[in-house]
Amino acid sequence: MSPVEGSIARANRLLVLDDDPFIPRWIRKVAEHEGYDVSICTDLTTIRAVHRSARPTLILMDLTLGGGYQGLEALRLLSAERSTTPIILTGSAEP
């Protein structure tokens, strides 16, 4: 594989972090249809291992994992991974 091909393949890797089982499955269905390789993580206990194996360039994560603001903790755990762009989502109506 050439460096360009490797860059293109890596650019299509998505990690979804959400404790609601419906949301990651829905995102996977849509993203895979668009050509993304999707990995799912449902809690903070495995986020580092899943991130290392998936090597995503984009992370979609829930801010309110487990009812708290554990999405911020996930950002802290992954802060050394500058090659990954996080997008934080929430369904919470509270500020």
Side-chain angles (χ1 to χ4, degrees):
M1 176 178 350
S2 75
V4 172
E5 289 172 3
S7 297
I8 292 170
R10 183 160 152 54
N12 289 331
R13 293 182 189 212
L14 171 65
L15 173 59
V16 181
L17 172 61
D18 197 316
D19 58 340
D20 178 337
F22 173 75
I23 301 296
R25 287 194 313 253
W26 179 80
I27 291 172
R28 171 180 269 161
K29 183 177 181 179
V30 172
E32 285 180 343
H33 184 300
E34 294 298 321
Y36 285 86
D37 179 22
V38 180
S39 298
I40 294 175
C41 188
T42 57
D43 59 52
L44 291 181
T45 61
T46 57
I47 185 66
R48 281 185 173 158
V50 172
H51 187 271
R52 271 192 300 269
S53 67
R55 297 181 31 214
T57 54
L58 179 64
I59 300 176
L60 295 178
M61 64 173 63
D62 184 9
L63 176 64
T64 56
L65 295 169
Y69 290 102
Q70 292 184 7
L72 295 177
E73 179 64 14
L75 280 177
R76 188 187 68 73
L77 290 171
L78 300 174
S79 65
E81 304 299 328
R82 305 246 181 230
S83 63
T84 303
T85 302
I87 297 176
I88 301 174
L89 308 170
T90 186
S92 175
E94 295 188 29

